[in-house]
Amino acid sequence: MTVQFTRNVDRRRFLQMAGAAGASGLLPLPGSIRRALAADAAPLASAVIAGKSDKMIVHNAKLGVMETPLDLLRDHPFTPKEILYNRLHFPIDLNGGWVATTAPASTETTRDWTILVSGLVQRPKTIKVSDLAKMDQVKRISVMQCAGNGRSYYWAKGKTAGSGWKHGGMGNLTWEGVPLMPLLKSLELGPDPSVTFLSANGKDVPPVVGGADLIKSYHLAAPQLQNAILALKMNGEPIPTVHGGPVRLIIPGFYGNMNIKWLTDLMLMDRENPSALMQKTYRMPFEPVEPGKFTTQDMTQQNTVPTYGFAIMSVVFAPLAGETVKAGNVDLKGVAWNDGVVPVTEVRVSVDQGRSWIAAEIDSSDGPTAWQHWQTRVALSAGAHEVWVRATDAWGRSQPMDGLTTWNPGGWDWHGVDRVAFQVA
Ligand SMILES: Nc1nc2c(c(=O)[nH]1)N[C@H]1C(S)=C(S)[C@@H](COP(=O)(O)O)O[C@H]1N2
Ligand SMILES: [Mo]
């Protein structure tokens, strides 16, 4: 299936290239295209999703899973669509691959798009995207991050399900749209008194009839939900189709899987949705678990909690692993982020393997749901060095010194202290 899809896409690109080459005669195919055509090569990102940079690391072509290398991610305060990580649950070529592009949805698609608001209510309603566009818009700056970001680091302890993300399964973005909670209220749905959860679903469907759909549920009292929007724009433009355009539920501070793309349904419920992608995966055990001793099938509502808010985390953007910097005063930089509610109050850096820690400066000017840019400067002599970084929030929550302590079968929630080895010359 993967092979089949990859070939089809490559063939289309091949024909386009062949056409271009044909006009001028004998132009050879660029090396990148030749590599994509080689049977065993990982496909280029742009062949999987039109408009993506070929510097992206493709983890799974069939599901459009791709990660941003850190040297690209650090260059932009707001992650451009060309390099934003991507993740889909169902094969990208369903429905003729309509999502496989960073271009916005067509005018017709946007005009005809409706969201059904239903569930335990007296008066179900529909909302048109064209009506949303006429309402007052608000802006949110927030981190989008897969709950599996950093998963590959868990593999030192034991294999998990899912793609091998390093730290590039995230981005920092601006979103514009209509605030969710006031909108729900204005619809005068007449909710049943038992209503406590909101569920959201998107247009994408599982490839097999009866397969688990991606439906996510949120407690209506969750603080992050009060900040949620039905977003129509990302980074100032209509949301790229592959990232959920024309309309996406954005809940600042909640992991990626909770931010439903191509939103079609909002349901007011008295419980979490029973779907497998809500109940059997995307959940974290309350107690530490060991590889082989606890599996996804052991998960219940009692022993696990859904991957809602981000665990507090920080990474180093400079220097990056393997880089060489000049001896003397060395600038150390990076970003931290948290659950979208509790501010990051401290970022500490160590260049002596955790014996002593230096407080870095934190720039929080984009608000608590955005990347918090940290930096500090240390004098370093020539040789091999390591920088470690650890963030703490106003509630005193911090990152485990040993990230492996939160190992879990889904590989979620990696937020161990980042340790980066580099050279000073
Ligand atoms: N409808 C829908 N929404 C979805 C998904 C999906 O497969 N379908 N994947 C989720 C997951 S797991 C993540 S990490 C984010 C990825 O967002 P991005 O691809 O725009 O970066 O989208 C989320 N929203
Ligand atoms: Mo994800």
Side-chain angles (χ1 to χ4, degrees):
M1 188 67 178
T2 308
V3 173
Q4 179 69 45
F5 165 60
T6 305
R7 279 210 198 116
N8 287 343
V9 172
D10 288 343
R11 195 161 160 271
R12 206 184 322 130
R13 297 243 330 171
F14 174 78
L15 293 175
Q16 282 166 3
M17 285 310 302
S24 59
L26 291 167
L27 268 183
L29 288 174
S32 56
I33 303 289
R34 250 184 289 132
R35 278 195 296 281
L37 289 171
D40 55 352
L44 291 168
S46 65
V48 176
I49 298 169
K52 286 290 176 185
S53 161
D54 286 333
K55 293 182 181 147
M56 301 290 285
I57 303 155
V58 177
H59 288 302
N60 182 329
K62 183 176 162 183
L63 300 178
V65 183
M66 55 181 72
E67 158 160 21
T68 320
L70 288 191
D71 59 335
L72 292 190
L73 197 58
R74 70 173 170 185
D75 282 348
H76 309 274
F78 302 106
T79 313
K81 62 181 180 209
E82 292 80 9
I83 62 161
L84 176 61
Y85 88 94
N86 191 74
R87 186 332 180 201
L88 307 171
H89 280 77
F90 310 123
I92 206 166
D93 54 345
L94 280 182
N95 306 313
W98 65 284
V99 304
T101 177
T102 61
S106 71
T107 315
E108 297 77 47
T109 303
T110 306
R111 186 196 58 209
D112 297 340
W113 200 278
T114 57
I115 302 164
L116 175 63
V117 190
S118 64
L120 299 171
V121 300
Q122 283 164 25
R123 293 171 293 273
K125 298 270 170 75
T126 54
I127 315 168
K128 287 178 162 173
V129 163
S130 50
D131 289 335
L132 282 178
K134 289 179 206 140
M135 298 176 194
D136 286 344
Q137 311 286 305
V138 296
K139 186 166 153 181
R140 304 276 186 256
I141 305 180
S142 70
V143 177
M144 182 64 66
Q145 178 190 209
C146 183
N149 197 23
R151 172 185 287 136
S152 64
Y153 305 115
Y154 281 127
W155 295 352
K157 181 161 182 176
K159 190 81 175 91
T160 69
S163 298
W165 299 102
K166 293 183 166 148
H167 289 311
M170 69 154 164
N172 191 50
L173 303 143
T174 71
W175 301 96
E176 283 157 77
V178 177
L180 170 73
M181 296 303 267
L183 180 70
L184 287 180
K185 199 159 179 222
S186 74
L187 291 175
E188 298 181 338
L189 302 157
D192 188 88
S194 65
V195 163
T196 39
F197 281 89
L198 176 72
S199 285
N201 194 3
K203 185 175 160 73
D204 50 343
V205 289
V208 289
V209 178
D213 201 352
L214 182 74
I215 304 177
K216 289 288 153 163
S217 302
Y218 328 90
H219 200 287
L220 281 160
Q224 288 91 342
L225 214 59
Q226 318 315 310
N227 212 12
I229 62 172
L230 301 186
L232 305 177
K233 287 186 173 178
M234 182 184 103
N235 292 345
E237 294 175 358
I239 301 177
T241 305
V242 78
H243 294 297
V247 60
R248 181 171 188 177
L249 177 59
I250 291 294
I251 312 175
F254 269 13
Y255 278 115
N257 69 85
M258 297 286 169
N259 294 258
I260 295 293
K261 303 178 181 185
W262 320 296
L263 187 68
T264 54
D265 287 274
L266 291 170
M267 291 155 285
L268 291 169
M269 318 274 285
D270 60 357
R271 68 196 71 179
E272 271 178 17
N273 194 280
S275 70
L277 287 169
M278 192 69 212
Q279 299 304 333
K280 286 293 170 199
T281 181
Y282 290 111
R283 298 184 80 93
M284 272 297 282
F286 282 123
E287 304 288 339
V289 297
E290 291 300 315
K293 302 217 175 92
F294 183 94
T295 73
T296 303
Q297 289 316 310
D298 297 321
M299 292 189 177
T300 66
Q301 287 222 345
Q302 283 68 47
N303 64 13
T304 58
V305 65
T307 49
Y308 283 131
F310 299 147
I312 187 165
M313 182 56 182
S314 58
V315 292
V316 180
F317 274 173
L320 288 176
E323 280 185 341
T324 301
V325 296
K326 276 221 320 250
N329 285 329
V330 175
D331 285 319
L332 306 175
K333 288 184 191 175
V335 293
W337 62 97
N338 202 16
D339 62 2
V341 181
V342 184
V344 173
T345 44
E346 203 175 76
V347 174
R348 287 183 177 268
V349 172
S350 176
V351 286
D352 57 8
Q353 317 241 323
R355 280 186 291 277
S356 63
W357 293 83
I358 307 152
E361 269 171 50
I362 309 173
D363 177 353
S364 306
S365 49
D366 288 332
T369 58
W371 274 346
Q372 315 290 297
H373 298 267
W374 63 262
Q375 62 171 338
T376 190
R377 182 173 283 185
V378 290
L380 292 176
S381 50
H385 288 274
E386 264 187 36
V387 51
W388 296 7
V389 63
R390 189 171 194 226
T392 305
D393 73 13
W395 289 2
R397 294 177 302 182
S398 192
Q399 305 175 235
M401 290 300 296
D402 175 5
L404 294 175
T405 53
T406 59
W407 185 94
N408 63 96
W412 311 123
D413 238 15
W414 172 270
H415 61 297
V417 165
D418 196 25
R419 303 169 184 204
V420 172
F422 62 101
Q423 295 288 325
V424 174

